[in-house]
Short mmCIF file of all heavy atoms in Angstrom, two decimals:
data_model
loop_
_atom_site.label_atom_id
_atom_site.label_comp_id
_atom_site.label_asym_id
_atom_site.label_seq_id
_atom_site.Cartn_x
_atom_site.Cartn_y
_atom_site.Cartn_z
N HIS A 1237 4.12 11.86 10.90
CA HIS A 1237 4.15 12.45 12.23
C HIS A 1237 3.31 13.73 12.31
O HIS A 1237 3.74 14.76 12.81
CB HIS A 1237 5.59 12.70 12.71
CG HIS A 1237 6.33 11.42 12.90
ND1 HIS A 1237 6.17 10.63 14.01
CD2 HIS A 1237 7.20 10.77 12.08
CE1 HIS A 1237 6.93 9.55 13.90
NE2 HIS A 1237 7.56 9.61 12.73
N ASP A 1238 2.09 13.61 11.78
CA ASP A 1238 1.12 14.69 11.82
C ASP A 1238 -0.26 14.04 11.83
O ASP A 1238 -0.65 13.40 10.86
CB ASP A 1238 1.29 15.59 10.59
CG ASP A 1238 0.30 16.74 10.56
OD1 ASP A 1238 -0.92 16.47 10.43
OD2 ASP A 1238 0.74 17.89 10.66
N ARG A 1239 -0.98 14.21 12.92
CA ARG A 1239 -2.27 13.52 13.09
C ARG A 1239 -3.27 13.87 11.99
O ARG A 1239 -3.99 13.01 11.51
CB ARG A 1239 -2.86 13.81 14.46
CG ARG A 1239 -2.10 13.12 15.57
CD ARG A 1239 -2.87 13.25 16.87
NE ARG A 1239 -2.09 12.76 17.98
CZ ARG A 1239 -2.13 11.50 18.40
NH1 ARG A 1239 -2.91 10.63 17.81
NH2 ARG A 1239 -1.39 11.11 19.42
N ALA A 1240 -3.33 15.11 11.59
CA ALA A 1240 -4.29 15.51 10.55
C ALA A 1240 -3.94 14.83 9.23
O ALA A 1240 -4.81 14.32 8.52
CB ALA A 1240 -4.31 17.02 10.39
N ALA A 1241 -2.66 14.80 8.89
CA ALA A 1241 -2.23 14.15 7.64
C ALA A 1241 -2.48 12.65 7.71
O ALA A 1241 -2.92 12.04 6.73
CB ALA A 1241 -0.76 14.43 7.38
N GLU A 1242 -2.21 12.05 8.87
CA GLU A 1242 -2.49 10.61 9.03
C GLU A 1242 -3.97 10.34 8.82
O GLU A 1242 -4.34 9.38 8.14
CB GLU A 1242 -2.07 10.14 10.42
CG GLU A 1242 -0.58 10.02 10.62
CD GLU A 1242 -0.22 9.56 12.02
OE1 GLU A 1242 -0.87 8.62 12.54
OE2 GLU A 1242 0.71 10.14 12.61
N ALA A 1243 -4.83 11.17 9.39
CA ALA A 1243 -6.27 10.98 9.24
C ALA A 1243 -6.69 11.12 7.78
O ALA A 1243 -7.56 10.38 7.30
CB ALA A 1243 -7.03 11.99 10.10
N ALA A 1244 -6.08 12.03 7.07
CA ALA A 1244 -6.40 12.21 5.65
C ALA A 1244 -5.96 11.00 4.82
O ALA A 1244 -6.56 10.71 3.79
CB ALA A 1244 -5.73 13.48 5.12
N LEU A 1245 -4.94 10.32 5.27
CA LEU A 1245 -4.45 9.15 4.54
C LEU A 1245 -5.30 7.90 4.76
O LEU A 1245 -5.23 6.97 3.96
CB LEU A 1245 -3.00 8.84 4.96
CG LEU A 1245 -1.94 9.80 4.46
CD1 LEU A 1245 -0.60 9.50 5.14
CD2 LEU A 1245 -1.80 9.69 2.95
N ARG A 1246 -6.08 7.84 5.82
CA ARG A 1246 -6.84 6.62 6.14
C ARG A 1246 -7.71 6.13 4.99
O ARG A 1246 -7.69 4.93 4.69
CB ARG A 1246 -7.68 6.81 7.39
CG ARG A 1246 -6.89 7.07 8.64
CD ARG A 1246 -6.04 5.89 9.06
NE ARG A 1246 -5.18 6.31 10.16
CZ ARG A 1246 -3.90 6.04 10.25
NH1 ARG A 1246 -3.32 5.30 9.35
NH2 ARG A 1246 -3.19 6.46 11.27
N PRO A 1247 -8.49 6.98 4.31
CA PRO A 1247 -9.31 6.46 3.20
C PRO A 1247 -8.45 5.86 2.08
O PRO A 1247 -8.81 4.85 1.49
CB PRO A 1247 -10.08 7.69 2.70
CG PRO A 1247 -10.09 8.62 3.87
CD PRO A 1247 -8.79 8.38 4.59
N LEU A 1248 -7.31 6.49 1.81
CA LEU A 1248 -6.41 5.96 0.78
C LEU A 1248 -5.89 4.59 1.20
O LEU A 1248 -5.79 3.68 0.37
CB LEU A 1248 -5.23 6.92 0.56
CG LEU A 1248 -4.17 6.44 -0.42
CD1 LEU A 1248 -4.76 6.23 -1.81
CD2 LEU A 1248 -3.02 7.42 -0.47
N LEU A 1249 -5.60 4.41 2.47
CA LEU A 1249 -5.11 3.13 2.95
C LEU A 1249 -6.15 2.03 2.72
O LEU A 1249 -5.81 0.92 2.32
CB LEU A 1249 -4.75 3.20 4.44
CG LEU A 1249 -3.67 4.20 4.82
CD1 LEU A 1249 -3.41 4.15 6.32
CD2 LEU A 1249 -2.39 3.96 4.06
N SER A 1250 -7.41 2.36 2.96
CA SER A 1250 -8.47 1.39 2.72
C SER A 1250 -8.57 1.01 1.25
O SER A 1250 -8.72 -0.16 0.90
CB SER A 1250 -9.82 1.94 3.20
OG SER A 1250 -9.79 2.14 4.58
N LEU A 1251 -8.49 2.00 0.39
CA LEU A 1251 -8.58 1.73 -1.04
C LEU A 1251 -7.40 0.90 -1.53
O LEU A 1251 -7.58 -0.01 -2.34
CB LEU A 1251 -8.63 3.05 -1.82
CG LEU A 1251 -9.90 3.86 -1.69
CD1 LEU A 1251 -9.75 5.20 -2.38
CD2 LEU A 1251 -11.08 3.09 -2.27
N THR A 1252 -6.21 1.19 -1.05
CA THR A 1252 -5.06 0.43 -1.51
C THR A 1252 -5.12 -1.00 -0.99
O THR A 1252 -4.64 -1.91 -1.64
CB THR A 1252 -3.73 1.10 -1.14
OG1 THR A 1252 -3.68 1.28 0.27
CG2 THR A 1252 -3.57 2.43 -1.85
N GLY A 1253 -5.72 -1.19 0.18
CA GLY A 1253 -5.90 -2.55 0.68
C GLY A 1253 -6.77 -3.36 -0.26
O GLY A 1253 -6.50 -4.53 -0.53
N ALA A 1254 -7.79 -2.73 -0.80
CA ALA A 1254 -8.66 -3.40 -1.78
C ALA A 1254 -7.89 -3.71 -3.05
O ALA A 1254 -8.07 -4.78 -3.66
CB ALA A 1254 -9.87 -2.53 -2.09
N ILE A 1255 -7.01 -2.80 -3.45
CA ILE A 1255 -6.20 -3.04 -4.65
C ILE A 1255 -5.28 -4.24 -4.43
O ILE A 1255 -5.14 -5.08 -5.31
CB ILE A 1255 -5.40 -1.78 -5.03
CG1 ILE A 1255 -6.35 -0.69 -5.53
CG2 ILE A 1255 -4.35 -2.10 -6.09
CD1 ILE A 1255 -5.69 0.67 -5.71
N VAL A 1256 -4.66 -4.32 -3.26
CA VAL A 1256 -3.77 -5.46 -2.98
C VAL A 1256 -4.53 -6.77 -3.09
O VAL A 1256 -4.04 -7.73 -3.67
CB VAL A 1256 -3.12 -5.33 -1.57
CG1 VAL A 1256 -2.43 -6.62 -1.17
CG2 VAL A 1256 -2.14 -4.19 -1.56
N THR A 1257 -5.71 -6.80 -2.55
CA THR A 1257 -6.52 -8.01 -2.60
C THR A 1257 -6.79 -8.42 -4.05
O THR A 1257 -6.71 -9.59 -4.40
CB THR A 1257 -7.86 -7.79 -1.86
OG1 THR A 1257 -7.57 -7.41 -0.52
CG2 THR A 1257 -8.69 -9.05 -1.86
N ARG A 1258 -7.05 -7.44 -4.91
CA ARG A 1258 -7.38 -7.74 -6.31
C ARG A 1258 -6.16 -8.01 -7.17
O ARG A 1258 -6.27 -8.63 -8.22
CB ARG A 1258 -8.16 -6.56 -6.92
CG ARG A 1258 -9.44 -6.31 -6.15
CD ARG A 1258 -10.70 -6.11 -6.91
NE ARG A 1258 -10.74 -6.41 -8.29
CZ ARG A 1258 -11.25 -5.60 -9.20
NH1 ARG A 1258 -11.68 -4.42 -8.85
NH2 ARG A 1258 -11.31 -5.96 -10.45
N THR A 1259 -4.99 -7.52 -6.77
CA THR A 1259 -3.80 -7.65 -7.62
C THR A 1259 -2.82 -8.70 -7.13
O THR A 1259 -1.80 -8.93 -7.78
CB THR A 1259 -3.05 -6.30 -7.71
OG1 THR A 1259 -2.61 -5.90 -6.42
CG2 THR A 1259 -3.91 -5.24 -8.35
N PHE A 1260 -3.08 -9.33 -6.02
CA PHE A 1260 -2.08 -10.20 -5.41
C PHE A 1260 -1.51 -11.22 -6.40
O PHE A 1260 -0.30 -11.36 -6.53
CB PHE A 1260 -2.65 -10.94 -4.19
CG PHE A 1260 -1.65 -11.89 -3.60
CD1 PHE A 1260 -0.65 -11.41 -2.78
CD2 PHE A 1260 -1.68 -13.24 -3.89
CE1 PHE A 1260 0.30 -12.26 -2.25
CE2 PHE A 1260 -0.73 -14.10 -3.36
CZ PHE A 1260 0.26 -13.60 -2.53
N ARG A 1261 -2.34 -11.92 -7.07
CA ARG A 1261 -1.87 -12.97 -8.00
C ARG A 1261 -1.10 -12.39 -9.18
O ARG A 1261 -0.18 -13.00 -9.68
CB ARG A 1261 -3.02 -13.82 -8.50
CG ARG A 1261 -3.67 -14.62 -7.40
CD ARG A 1261 -2.79 -15.77 -6.98
NE ARG A 1261 -3.44 -16.48 -5.89
CZ ARG A 1261 -2.79 -17.02 -4.88
NH1 ARG A 1261 -1.49 -16.92 -4.81
NH2 ARG A 1261 -3.43 -17.65 -3.94
N ALA A 1262 -1.48 -11.20 -9.61
CA ALA A 1262 -0.85 -10.61 -10.79
C ALA A 1262 0.53 -10.03 -10.49
O ALA A 1262 1.42 -10.08 -11.32
CB ALA A 1262 -1.75 -9.52 -11.37
N VAL A 1263 0.71 -9.47 -9.29
CA VAL A 1263 1.97 -8.79 -9.02
C VAL A 1263 2.86 -9.51 -8.02
O VAL A 1263 4.07 -9.39 -8.08
CB VAL A 1263 1.74 -7.33 -8.55
CG1 VAL A 1263 1.08 -6.53 -9.63
CG2 VAL A 1263 0.96 -7.27 -7.28
N GLU A 1264 2.26 -10.23 -7.11
CA GLU A 1264 2.97 -10.95 -6.07
C GLU A 1264 4.21 -10.21 -5.60
O GLU A 1264 4.12 -9.16 -5.00
CB GLU A 1264 3.27 -12.38 -6.52
CG GLU A 1264 2.00 -13.19 -6.69
CD GLU A 1264 2.25 -14.64 -6.98
OE1 GLU A 1264 3.33 -15.14 -6.64
OE2 GLU A 1264 1.36 -15.27 -7.54
N VAL A 1265 5.38 -10.73 -5.86
CA VAL A 1265 6.61 -10.18 -5.32
C VAL A 1265 6.95 -8.82 -5.96
O VAL A 1265 7.50 -7.94 -5.30
CB VAL A 1265 7.78 -11.18 -5.50
CG1 VAL A 1265 9.08 -10.59 -5.02
CG2 VAL A 1265 7.47 -12.47 -4.74
N ASP A 1266 6.59 -8.60 -7.21
CA ASP A 1266 6.93 -7.35 -7.89
C ASP A 1266 6.39 -6.12 -7.17
O ASP A 1266 7.04 -5.07 -7.15
CB ASP A 1266 6.42 -7.35 -9.33
CG ASP A 1266 7.11 -8.38 -10.19
OD1 ASP A 1266 8.24 -8.78 -9.83
OD2 ASP A 1266 6.53 -8.79 -11.20
N GLY A 1267 5.24 -6.22 -6.58
CA GLY A 1267 4.67 -5.09 -5.85
C GLY A 1267 5.53 -4.67 -4.68
O GLY A 1267 5.64 -3.49 -4.36
N TRP A 1268 6.16 -5.64 -4.05
CA TRP A 1268 7.03 -5.34 -2.92
C TRP A 1268 8.28 -4.58 -3.38
O TRP A 1268 8.82 -3.78 -2.63
CB TRP A 1268 7.39 -6.61 -2.16
CG TRP A 1268 6.17 -7.21 -1.54
CD1 TRP A 1268 5.52 -8.34 -1.95
CD2 TRP A 1268 5.41 -6.70 -0.44
NE1 TRP A 1268 4.41 -8.54 -1.17
CE2 TRP A 1268 4.33 -7.57 -0.24
CE3 TRP A 1268 5.55 -5.59 0.39
CZ2 TRP A 1268 3.38 -7.35 0.77
CZ3 TRP A 1268 4.62 -5.38 1.38
CH2 TRP A 1268 3.54 -6.26 1.56
N ASP A 1269 8.71 -4.82 -4.62
CA ASP A 1269 9.85 -4.07 -5.15
C ASP A 1269 9.52 -2.59 -5.22
O ASP A 1269 10.38 -1.75 -4.92
CB ASP A 1269 10.23 -4.59 -6.54
CG ASP A 1269 10.82 -5.98 -6.52
OD1 ASP A 1269 11.25 -6.45 -5.44
OD2 ASP A 1269 10.86 -6.61 -7.59
N GLY A 1270 8.29 -2.26 -5.58
CA GLY A 1270 7.87 -0.86 -5.61
C GLY A 1270 7.93 -0.23 -4.23
O GLY A 1270 8.40 0.90 -4.06
N HIS A 1271 7.49 -0.97 -3.23
CA HIS A 1271 7.57 -0.47 -1.85
C HIS A 1271 9.01 -0.30 -1.41
O HIS A 1271 9.34 0.65 -0.70
CB HIS A 1271 6.82 -1.40 -0.90
CG HIS A 1271 5.34 -1.36 -1.08
ND1 HIS A 1271 4.59 -0.24 -0.89
CD2 HIS A 1271 4.46 -2.32 -1.45
CE1 HIS A 1271 3.32 -0.50 -1.11
NE2 HIS A 1271 3.22 -1.76 -1.47
N GLU A 1272 9.86 -1.22 -1.81
CA GLU A 1272 11.28 -1.14 -1.45
C GLU A 1272 11.91 0.12 -2.05
O GLU A 1272 12.70 0.80 -1.38
CB GLU A 1272 12.01 -2.39 -1.95
CG GLU A 1272 13.42 -2.52 -1.42
CD GLU A 1272 13.49 -2.91 0.03
OE1 GLU A 1272 12.78 -3.85 0.44
OE2 GLU A 1272 14.26 -2.27 0.78
N ARG A 1273 11.55 0.45 -3.27
CA ARG A 1273 12.08 1.67 -3.90
C ARG A 1273 11.61 2.92 -3.14
O ARG A 1273 12.39 3.86 -2.94
CB ARG A 1273 11.67 1.74 -5.37
CG ARG A 1273 12.45 0.76 -6.24
CD ARG A 1273 12.18 0.96 -7.72
NE ARG A 1273 10.84 0.59 -8.13
CZ ARG A 1273 10.47 -0.66 -8.44
NH1 ARG A 1273 11.34 -1.66 -8.38
NH2 ARG A 1273 9.23 -0.91 -8.81
N VAL A 1274 10.36 2.93 -2.70
CA VAL A 1274 9.86 4.06 -1.91
C VAL A 1274 10.64 4.14 -0.61
O VAL A 1274 11.07 5.23 -0.20
CB VAL A 1274 8.34 3.93 -1.63
CG1 VAL A 1274 7.88 5.00 -0.63
CG2 VAL A 1274 7.54 4.02 -2.92
N LEU A 1275 10.84 3.02 0.04
CA LEU A 1275 11.60 3.00 1.30
C LEU A 1275 13.01 3.54 1.08
O LEU A 1275 13.52 4.31 1.90
CB LEU A 1275 11.63 1.58 1.88
CG LEU A 1275 12.42 1.40 3.18
CD1 LEU A 1275 11.91 2.33 4.28
CD2 LEU A 1275 12.36 -0.06 3.62
#
């Protein structure tokens, strides 16, 4: 809930999207467990 911080996060979001594409087969469901812990 801060526009400047959101804008700073955009490049990181792009990079992590690339990581998901490259890691999908290796982590599949396990990666979602990491997100669940953050949540």
Side-chain angles (χ1 to χ4, degrees):
H1237 294 281
D1238 179 294
R1239 289 190 187 269
E1242 286 179 44
L1245 287 171
R1246 296 294 172 225
L1248 176 61
L1249 300 180
S1250 296
L1251 290 173
T1252 57
I1255 291 170
V1256 169
T1257 303
R1258 301 227 12 228
T1259 61
F1260 178 80
R1261 295 287 178 216
V1263 297
E1264 293 187 23
V1265 177
D1266 294 337
W1268 295 107
D1269 291 343
H1271 290 299
E1272 190 73 47
R1273 286 188 291 276
V1274 172
L1275 179 57

